[in-house]
């Protein structure tokens, strides 16, 4: 069996058996120590190129907790136009117009294109994308708005956009298949408010989704939600050697990105995470917050009676709105509570900073009454 035939679970077993002489170490744990690079390259997780043993980034936080946890070497950045840090707080309200009957119309153009994306430092994945990025842009509107999405297929395979939420079946994005070079406009009234998603619905579905054709679709309540520091987290994974198993896990594509770049929020500030699971091949994914609890609004479709918890398990396609305040200053880890996913990239930190100005860290959305 050639080394490229190893899947990630084989590798984890080998790691536990003491590969590279580091007994019990996991894959990215080894990476954090700068060891086992050749072995990582052999399973397609790190580049095989010699002379690439970069030290831990000068920009990497020095918090003790981070030094003690897993990580990666090098930086996943925006060289191909996608900045995971910017995506986290980037909400696209579309081009706004008012119809003759007074209704608000929001219009977006989404173009499907094939593109290589970086899913871990130096690890590139041949994705199919909406607008050149994975996840696609976070579309945001208010309940009752008229949504118009002009979809252009500039990719190499037929695609669609299937929106979750309520709309006429002919706007559901299962048919028609939009062939390469063709276009189709989806139009419907945004309802009900909540956290939805959109994704390609072309067969084989798992391949079209896994390749990267998905994004968040937020319908705000008519009067908005309370002002908060708002973030979008799309839990995803990447099968970098096409064996039907993910080798890399993340929120928003880049493994360990928020491990290297903690998300700064004010200690005690209201934080809101729009959390989606679109992970293919694994039945579930999960989110766990350290040193605090969050209020869980399932699917974001109601504003009262949240559940209070610190861990939520989600099937593919599930999405929830999480609200919390980090009362204690310092680093708060968050990650999948499937330990294997966490060790393969799905792990990060919030940094709670006392007195952080509203203009710093994750931006504050004004909530009630705010409309772009
Ligand atoms: Cu597709």
């Amino acid at each position: 069996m050639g080394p490229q035939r190893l899947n990630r679970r084989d590798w984890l077993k080998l790691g536990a058996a003491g590969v590279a002489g580091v007994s019990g170490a996991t894959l990215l744990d080894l990476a954090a120590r700068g060891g086992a690079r050749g072995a990582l390259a052999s399973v397609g997780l790190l580049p095989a190129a010699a002379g690439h043993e970069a030290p831990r980034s000068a920009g990497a936080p020095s918090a003790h907790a981070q030094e003690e946890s897993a990580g990666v070497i090098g930086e996943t950045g925006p060289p191909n136009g996608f900045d995971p840090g910017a995506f986290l707080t980037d909400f696209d309200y579309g081009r706004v117009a008012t119809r003759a009957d007074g209704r608000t119309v929001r219009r977006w153009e989404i173009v499907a294109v094939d593109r290589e994306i970086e899913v871990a430092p130096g690890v590139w994945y041949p994705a199919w994308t909406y607008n050149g990025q994975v996840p696609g842009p976070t579309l945001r509107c208010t309940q009752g708005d008229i949504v118009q999405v002009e979809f252009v297929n500039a990719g190499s395979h037929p695609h669609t956009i299937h929106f979750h939420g309520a709309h006429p079946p002919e706007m559901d994005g299962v048919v028609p298949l939009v062939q390469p070079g063709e276009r189709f406009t989806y139009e419907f009234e945004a309802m009900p408010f909540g956290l939805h998603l959109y994704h390609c619905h072309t067969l084989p579905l798992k391949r079209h989704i896994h390749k990267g054709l998905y994004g968040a679709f937020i319908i705000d309540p008519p009067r908005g939600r309370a002002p908060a520091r708002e973030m979008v987290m799309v839990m995803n994974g990447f099968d970098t050697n096409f064996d039907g198993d993910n080798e890399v896990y993340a929120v928003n594509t880049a493994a360990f990105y928020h491990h290297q770049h903690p998300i700064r929020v004010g200690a005690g500030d209201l934080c809101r995470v729009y959390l989606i699971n679109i992970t293919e091949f694994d039945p579930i994914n999960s989110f766990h917050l350290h040193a605090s609890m969050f209020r869980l609004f399932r699917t974001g479709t109601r504003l009262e009676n949240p559940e209070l918890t610190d861990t939520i398990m989600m099937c593919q396609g599930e999405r929830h709105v999480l609200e919390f305040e980090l009362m204690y200053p310092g680093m708060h880890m968050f990650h999948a509570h499937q330990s294997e996913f966490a060790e393969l990239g799905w792990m990060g930190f919030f940094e709670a900073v006392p007195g952080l100005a509203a203009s710093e860290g994750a931006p504050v959305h004004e909530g009630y009454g705010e409309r772009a």
Side-chain angles (χ1 to χ4, degrees):
M1 185 173 78
Q4 72 277 15
R5 301 288 295 276
L6 280 174
N7 65 29
R8 64 145 206 271
R9 290 189 168 94
D10 294 333
W11 166 251
L12 285 166
K13 282 182 223 154
L14 287 170
V19 144
V22 188
S23 178
T26 62
L27 187 155
L28 288 160
D29 199 20
L30 288 168
R33 301 177 205 180
R37 185 164 202 95
L40 288 167
S42 77
V43 291
L45 267 156
L46 289 173
H52 197 69
E53 291 285 350
R56 285 182 68 86
S57 157
S62 57
H64 181 70
Q66 288 163 283
E67 294 302 316
E68 290 300 306
S69 63
V72 288
I73 301 164
E75 293 272 345
T76 306
N80 210 358
F82 180 70
D83 179 346
F87 174 85
L88 180 78
T89 59
D90 186 13
F91 300 93
D92 187 343
Y93 289 89
R95 291 200 313 279
V96 184
T98 304
R99 221 165 56 174
D101 62 0
R103 301 286 290 273
T104 296
V105 179
R106 294 184 190 273
R107 187 172 180 84
W108 294 267
E109 183 181 80
I110 293 187
V111 183
V113 288
D114 300 357
R115 190 175 207 183
E116 293 240 321
I117 60 167
E118 192 176 24
V119 298
V123 181
W124 293 81
Y125 177 79
W128 298 339
T129 75
Y130 290 130
N131 287 5
Q133 63 181 67
V134 178
T138 296
L139 309 185
R140 188 163 186 175
C141 59
T142 300
Q143 180 173 286
D145 289 351
I146 303 301
V147 171
Q148 291 180 344
V149 176
E150 183 176 11
F151 176 50
V152 179
N153 187 356
S156 56
H157 293 70
H159 299 302
T160 68
I161 305 179
H162 162 65
F163 289 88
H164 286 227
H167 43 251
E170 60 269 28
M171 291 294 149
D172 193 46
V174 175
V175 288
L177 288 185
V178 182
Q179 300 294 332
E182 292 183 350
R183 61 179 60 212
F184 184 86
T185 300
Y186 300 95
E187 179 171 338
F188 53 88
E189 179 179 347
M191 60 184 293
F193 75 80
L195 174 55
H196 306 296
L197 77 152
Y198 64 91
H199 60 84
C200 181
H201 211 290
T202 304
L203 297 175
L205 194 53
K206 69 179 180 182
R207 185 50 67 188
H208 281 252
I209 290 179
H210 176 73
K211 287 284 264 181
L213 291 167
Y214 48 77
F217 177 43
I218 299 171
I219 302 179
D220 283 327
R223 295 185 57 249
R225 298 174 193 267
R229 296 183 186 268
E230 294 198 328
M231 295 154 260
V232 172
M233 294 190 185
V234 180
M235 301 190 287
N236 54 3
F238 295 93
D239 175 11
T240 57
N241 59 2
F242 302 98
D243 65 348
D245 228 355
N246 294 311
E247 278 70 48
V248 172
Y249 293 86
V251 283
N252 306 338
T253 298
F256 289 113
Y257 184 82
H258 292 295
H259 181 273
Q260 294 181 313
H261 305 274
I263 300 166
R264 299 179 80 215
V265 300
D269 287 357
L270 177 59
C271 300
R272 181 176 297 118
V273 171
Y274 295 93
L275 178 69
I276 291 175
N277 177 25
I278 196 66
T279 313
E280 195 57 78
F281 305 129
D282 294 283
I284 58 166
N285 204 327
S286 61
F287 177 100
H288 169 52
L289 176 63
H290 282 223
S292 189
M293 304 281 283
F294 56 82
R295 297 180 292 283
L296 174 74
F297 298 85
R298 288 184 177 272
T299 321
T301 48
R302 61 184 183 186
L303 303 174
E304 298 91 23
N305 301 320
E307 175 184 341
L308 186 66
T309 183
D310 61 20
T311 306
I312 179 64
M313 173 180 84
M314 295 160 71
C315 185
Q316 188 192 48
E318 275 197 283
R319 63 276 179 195
H320 302 308
V321 175
L322 279 47
E323 292 186 357
F324 55 88
E325 298 84 13
L326 302 177
M327 302 309 298
Y328 296 102
M331 293 294 184
H332 295 245
M333 184 180 269
F334 63 95
H335 59 85
H337 218 302
Q338 288 98 324
S339 306
E340 188 180 354
F341 295 7
E343 289 162 357
L344 291 169
W346 178 178
M347 175 193 288
F349 286 95
F350 294 106
E351 181 181 8
V353 182
L356 188 69
S359 57
E360 296 183 73
V364 175
H365 280 251
E366 292 303 322
Y368 301 117
E370 177 204 38
R371 288 300 166 262

